[in-house]
Amino acid sequence: MIAALKNSAHRAWVVLMVATGITWYLGEVGAAGTGAIVAMLVIAFVKGRLVILDFMELRDAPMMWRVLLEGWLIVVASLILLAYWISLK
Amino acid sequence: MQAMTTVALPATDLGSKRLPGDLAIWFFILAELLAFAVFFAAYSFARAKNVEMFNFYQQTLDRDLGALNTVLLITGSWFIVRAVQAAHRDDIKAIPPNILLGWLCGGGFLVVKVIEYAEKFGAGISMSTNTFYMFYISLTFFHFMHVILGMVILTVLWFQARNGAYGGHNAHGLESGAAYWHMVDLLWIVLFPLVYVMR
């Protein structure tokens, strides 16, 4: 068990499962509004980053590719947040 | 003796930067990510104009099935990582079964999605029902097609791996297919909270 967690992909899987559970739970309790949306975007960012770094194995890739993929996550999350902010007006 | 031990160090690419798989697959992945980014933004801005309607119809979606599908895709991705890791340590026998398990997770995703669609279409819901369902059906179906393409790629990788194509000497094709499969996972990680949960 401990030995298995030395593998970054196995660790990523565990975190991804827990994070998915949290997002599901937020839906179950009817979480809504700014706090809930920011929390879910942060969770999605953490999850997406783990997939990019530990599943796609871009942790040791040329910086440009890390910037492009992690940047995609940031841009998408920002657009979702911007649209939410507009919806409050 | 000292010199001998120094020479004995493996001449691997320690500390060097390496992009897994083919460069072309990464440009393809970028193009796909951009297309989905436009789709995600279009959904978000359409929602901003119809918040109450989107919030109301979002509640008709099955969050449990959406979360189950997240688990299936992430686990499917994890099996493919295991296949790639097996190739890197030249454990050729461990590659095909892990690809098969990843493929089965993808198959599970499709089954769950079909159950979800059957329930919605059975209730008479279609793309033209309203803007929310138009986005829900088109976004998830566009992603659904990508899962199918990912599974076609995994099928090819499985046959190749069974013929011993991948190992420590060559994991290029396997890494390229794996990268695409992880992209399908990455997209769902954004799509699920955005369409099923955020309100």
Side-chain angles (χ1 to χ4, degrees):
Chain A
M1 182 69 189
I2 299 298
L5 289 181
K6 280 189 179 143
N7 188 324
S8 64
H10 298 357
R11 276 202 309 273
W13 182 84
V14 173
V15 176
L16 286 163
M17 286 298 112
V18 173
T20 302
I22 295 172
T23 300
W24 171 82
Y25 178 76
L26 288 173
E28 285 305 291
V29 297
T34 310
I37 291 203
V38 169
M40 284 177 225
L41 284 176
V42 169
I43 292 169
F45 176 75
V46 170
K47 289 171 76 177
R49 198 161 177 270
L50 282 174
V51 169
I52 290 167
L53 297 183
D54 292 326
F55 283 6
M56 289 177 159
E57 296 185 318
L58 289 190
R59 201 178 281 280
D60 297 314
M63 189 51 82
M64 181 189 87
W65 288 98
R66 275 189 64 165
V67 170
L68 283 171
L69 271 92
E70 290 184 60
W72 176 84
L73 264 183
I74 292 169
V75 168
V76 167
S78 304
L79 286 172
I80 294 170
L81 202 58
L82 174 67
Y84 172 73
W85 180 69
I86 288 171
S87 80
L88 295 178
K89 301 207 149 192
Chain B
M1 282 306 278
Q2 285 259 325
M4 288 270 297
T5 42
T6 315
V7 170
L9 276 170
T12 50
D13 48 351
L14 277 172
S16 74
K17 302 280 184 191
R18 194 185 79 93
L19 185 69
D22 282 313
L23 184 62
I25 193 73
W26 291 100
F27 281 111
F28 184 58
I29 286 172
L30 274 188
E32 296 272 40
L33 289 178
L34 278 178
F36 271 93
V38 171
F39 234 144
F40 292 152
Y43 170 92
S44 305
F45 287 101
R47 178 187 177 276
K49 284 193 197 141
N50 302 283
V51 177
E52 275 159 34
M53 191 257 269
F54 271 59
N55 281 354
F56 180 81
Y57 289 103
Q58 185 189 58
Q59 286 183 311
T60 66
L61 301 188
D62 196 325
R63 273 195 313 274
D64 295 346
L65 292 186
L68 173 62
N69 263 346
T70 312
V71 170
L72 283 168
L73 279 192
I74 289 171
T75 306
S77 253
W78 178 67
F79 280 122
I80 300 306
V81 174
R82 291 173 59 110
V84 172
Q85 288 184 348
H88 287 161
R89 61 171 191 269
D90 224 9
D91 185 359
I92 293 170
K93 274 202 157 50
I95 304 171
N98 276 303
I99 295 177
L100 181 64
L101 287 167
W103 189 94
L104 288 172
C105 287
F109 178 96
L110 296 183
V111 169
V112 169
K113 210 90 209 91
V114 165
I115 291 170
E116 211 183 311
Y117 283 146
E119 200 248 318
K120 291 284 170 290
F121 296 151
I125 292 161
S126 73
M127 297 263 282
S128 54
T129 302
N130 60 42
T131 316
F132 176 78
Y133 285 125
M134 190 275 285
F135 272 109
Y136 160 71
I137 294 169
S138 54
L139 251 176
T140 59
F141 191 70
F142 192 42
H143 180 269
F144 186 89
M145 301 290 280
H146 284 75
V147 177
I148 292 175
L149 177 56
M151 288 176 68
V152 170
I153 292 171
L154 292 186
T155 306
V156 174
L157 294 179
W158 183 76
F159 277 109
Q160 300 260 56
R162 269 169 54 101
N163 290 330
Y166 309 119
H169 60 291
N170 174 27
H172 231 66
L174 181 62
E175 286 173 348
S176 299
Y180 183 87
W181 187 243
H182 299 318
M183 177 205 75
V184 172
D185 187 9
L186 179 61
L187 291 170
W188 187 258
I189 281 173
V190 176
L191 203 163
F192 169 63
L194 178 63
V195 177
Y196 288 72
V197 197
M198 281 182 201
R199 49 195 297 109

